[in-house]
Amino acid sequence: KKSPPPPPLPKLGKVGSKCACGLGSRERMADSGSDEVAVIGNTDLTAAEEQNNRNNTDVEKSTPLLKKMEISVSEAEKRTGKNAVNMQETYTVYLIETRPVDTITEGQNPAPDSLWRRYSEFELLRNYLLVTYPYIVVPPLPEKRAEFVWHKLSADNMDPDFVERRRIGLENFLLRVASHTVLSKDKIFFLFMTQENGWKDMVYETGFQAKADSRLKALNATFRVKNPDKRFTELKHYSDELQSVISQLLRVRARVADRLYGVYKVHGNYGRVFSEWSAIEREMGDGLQSAGHHMDAYAASVDDILEEEEHYADQLKEYLFYSEAVRAVCRKHELTQYELEMAVQDLTSKKLQREELATGTVRTFSLKGMTSKLFGQETPEQREAKLKVLEEQILEGEESVKSKNSECDEYVKNAWLDIDRFKEQKNQDLKEAIISYAVMQISMCKKGIQVWTNAKECFSKM
């Protein structure tokens, strides 16, 4: 029985319901109510590697790690040391603290376990998750260097304000992964937060780098796949549009911040003028001086306002980077689909060769046909031997097509389960971020009104 198709993507109309990767197999759609979550690794995984993945992760849907453990990135620290080429460098490390939830609920308050990690180690963890779970929209890391900044904001990645925002972003990344029903069960992720020494060696021992698909290979699949799944194609287009819209929004916000900063700081001139004026007035002096103080406070408040704005901008940037994670899921599907089509094409070619050998007729122009005309036909024994080899190759090809068909269907099912989860999360997060931004703007305008109301009262008392 076929499950219903997934809901349509925003602004793109109804999404096609047929799985293009089946090529004759039955249609299989992702059922969001399914209790099964399979681990689909790289297409090059051997049986032993698949078994190793199963050992490393518990794929049954159960309580995510975040329900069992408190996780935080509590502070950042600047350090100096030597890099791989023995050069002196300055870098930032982040303190990860973890504590079991059950010890807190029992009334105890034990000291948390803690360890330090560099940003590059967070990158290594995410790259491992991308390769190991290609069907999952893996949460993005915060930006390595500041983007979409207004001119008064430092773009230096060692700037304390930037490091603080990145600390919040790294904590958010860990919380996102720890709340995911599949990613949170990964052994490497757990050790990242609990084992300071030897963790990198364990990551490299998984061999994830060798399994990673090359960019050239993925690009080749994108242009050569013949039957792309409409849902993944439209999802990729949607992620491109989402990235474009958020980029424009962040640019507009940076321009507004520049102008807002100027408007607020100019109010400081009111304060200076009113103070100077108060010095030459006896009866009006107190009122003018009080009004000047209100204007000075108003001008100084813009720094805190724009710092708060940066946190809302960071929430938008997260989904700017999420769009690339969505495209990665789509590219992996294209690669899986392309490999299936190549296997089908190879099998069809082998069957055609068998038919030509059996009948002795060559339907298409080929080097083999030219050779036969020049040097004569093959002996029955040679033909029999070739037929035997072809039969074995056809059997292997049929098994390969069957396996890749099954893998492609399974990938689609699991990918759509996670895409549905991501869309629900995205809608909720962006709604909350935009509403909070609007509330902040309203609050800021009310403060401006209050400043001028106070100034008016000062003037009335003169």
Side-chain angles (χ1 to χ4, degrees), residues 187-222:
K187 180 181 176 183
I188 295 295
F189 171 63
F190 181 77
L191 293 176
F192 175 83
M193 297 184 296
T194 56
Q195 182 174 315
E196 188 159 13
N197 298 319
W199 175 79
K200 276 188 179 181
D201 295 333
M202 295 191 69
V203 178
Y204 291 126
E205 282 171 9
T206 63
F208 82 96
Q209 290 173 307
K211 303 169 199 171
D213 300 315
S214 71
R215 287 184 177 275
L216 188 62
K217 191 177 178 184
L219 188 65
N220 183 48
T222 300

Side-chain angles (χ1 to χ4, degrees), residues 142-204:
E143 57 193 349
K144 194 162 188 174
R145 286 176 176 77
E147 298 178 20
F148 303 104
V149 296
W150 50 287
H151 79 277
K152 288 292 181 184
L153 196 69
S154 173
D156 180 14
N157 62 348
M158 288 294 177
D159 178 73
D161 291 334
F162 174 75
V163 170
E164 172 60 17
R165 291 198 308 277
R166 188 200 273 178
R167 179 197 67 77
I168 294 170
L170 291 174
E171 180 177 288
N172 187 56
F173 166 75
L174 292 181
L175 295 177
R176 293 273 197 208
V177 176
S179 63
H180 196 284
T181 52
V182 177
L183 298 180
S184 64
K185 307 294 188 305
D186 190 88
K187 180 181 176 183
I188 295 295
F189 171 63
F190 181 77
L191 293 176
F192 175 83
M193 297 184 296
T194 56
Q195 182 174 315
E196 188 159 13
N197 298 319
W199 175 79
K200 276 188 179 181
D201 295 333
M202 295 191 69
V203 178
Y204 291 126

Side-chain angles (χ1 to χ4, degrees), residues 136-393:
I136 286 177
V137 183
V138 178
L141 291 171
E143 57 193 349
K144 194 162 188 174
R145 286 176 176 77
E147 298 178 20
F148 303 104
V149 296
W150 50 287
H151 79 277
K152 288 292 181 184
L153 196 69
S154 173
D156 180 14
N157 62 348
M158 288 294 177
D159 178 73
D161 291 334
F162 174 75
V163 170
E164 172 60 17
R165 291 198 308 277
R166 188 200 273 178
R167 179 197 67 77
I168 294 170
L170 291 174
E171 180 177 288
N172 187 56
F173 166 75
L174 292 181
L175 295 177
R176 293 273 197 208
V177 176
S179 63
H180 196 284
T181 52
V182 177
L183 298 180
S184 64
K185 307 294 188 305
D186 190 88
K187 180 181 176 183
I188 295 295
F189 171 63
F190 181 77
L191 293 176
F192 175 83
M193 297 184 296
T194 56
Q195 182 174 315
E196 188 159 13
N197 298 319
W199 175 79
K200 276 188 179 181
D201 295 333
M202 295 191 69
V203 178
Y204 291 126
E205 282 171 9
T206 63
F208 82 96
Q209 290 173 307
K211 303 169 199 171
D213 300 315
S214 71
R215 287 184 177 275
L216 188 62
K217 191 177 178 184
L219 188 65
N220 183 48
T222 300
F223 287 107
R224 297 183 65 182
V225 66
K226 294 177 181 176
N227 298 297
D229 190 316
K230 286 184 178 180
R231 294 166 302 162
F232 283 95
T233 302
E234 294 189 6
L235 179 64
K236 191 159 73 167
H237 289 160
Y238 169 73
S239 65
D240 289 339
E241 291 169 2
L242 180 65
Q243 185 179 37
S244 174
V245 167
I246 293 179
S247 296
Q248 293 175 37
L249 194 60
L250 288 166
R251 287 190 188 97
V252 170
R253 183 255 154 193
R255 289 200 298 271
V256 170
D258 267 331
R259 297 192 179 187
L260 192 66
Y261 184 83
V263 168
Y264 267 70
K265 289 304 181 183
V266 164
H267 279 72
N269 293 334
Y270 280 130
R272 178 179 56 80
V273 171
F274 285 150
S275 296
E276 291 174 357
W277 190 2
S278 69
I280 62 172
E281 298 284 355
R282 292 192 177 183
E283 291 150 0
M284 297 168 56
D286 291 342
L288 288 169
Q289 191 168 30
S290 297
H293 290 326
H294 286 303
M295 292 299 163
D296 289 338
Y298 184 67
S301 67
V302 71
D303 297 301
D304 292 335
I305 290 170
L306 292 179
E307 183 59 37
E308 186 180 352
E309 267 199 20
E310 286 303 319
H311 292 296
Y312 295 121
D314 288 339
Q315 291 176 25
L316 291 176
K317 285 178 185 178
E318 181 186 20
Y319 280 92
L320 181 72
F321 304 140
Y322 251 128
S323 59
E324 175 55 33
V326 173
R327 284 197 294 272
V329 173
C330 297
R331 284 196 299 268
K332 181 62 181 179
H333 172 263
E334 287 172 341
L335 185 59
T336 307
Q337 167 73 14
Y338 176 67
E339 289 175 348
L340 171 61
E341 290 178 3
M342 289 299 99
V344 170
Q345 184 177 317
D346 184 60
L347 178 61
T348 305
S349 174
K350 291 286 192 299
K351 286 182 176 178
L352 183 61
Q353 289 178 40
R354 180 182 63 180
E355 184 182 343
E356 289 174 351
L357 270 176
T359 60
T361 58
V362 179
R363 296 186 179 183
T364 58
F365 175 79
S366 65
L367 181 63
K368 179 189 164 190
M370 290 294 294
T371 306
S372 299
K373 288 181 178 180
L374 290 171
F375 302 105
Q377 296 290 333
E378 296 168 324
T379 63
E381 291 79 9
Q382 289 174 322
R383 190 179 301 163
E384 196 65 34
K386 285 190 175 182
L387 272 172
K388 186 178 179 182
V389 172
L390 273 174
E391 288 291 350
E392 292 175 358
Q393 291 176 342

Side-chain angles (χ1 to χ4, degrees), residues 91-109:
Y91 56 91
T92 307
V93 289
Y94 300 87
L95 183 64
I96 301 173
E97 293 186 337
T98 55
R99 181 164 45 191
V101 171
D102 53 7
T103 60
I104 302 168
T105 54
E106 291 168 4
Q108 304 172 4
N109 192 20

Side-chain angles (χ1 to χ4, degrees), residues 30-87:
D31 182 1
S32 59
S34 171
D35 290 327
E36 184 182 4
V37 178
V39 174
I40 307 297
N42 186 275
T43 51
D44 300 328
L45 287 181
T46 63
E49 287 170 335
E50 287 177 351
Q51 185 60 41
N52 184 53
N53 271 351
R54 292 190 188 99
N55 293 338
N56 276 351
T57 181
D58 173 13
V59 295
E60 295 179 359
K61 276 196 171 182
S62 59
T63 307
L65 183 63
L66 192 59
K67 299 287 185 182
K68 305 174 185 177
M69 180 184 284
E70 262 193 3
I71 302 167
S72 66
V73 180
S74 57
E75 62 179 278
E77 182 178 292
K78 190 182 292 187
R79 292 184 182 176
T80 304
K82 292 189 176 180
N83 57 20
V85 292
N86 210 29
M87 297 280 289

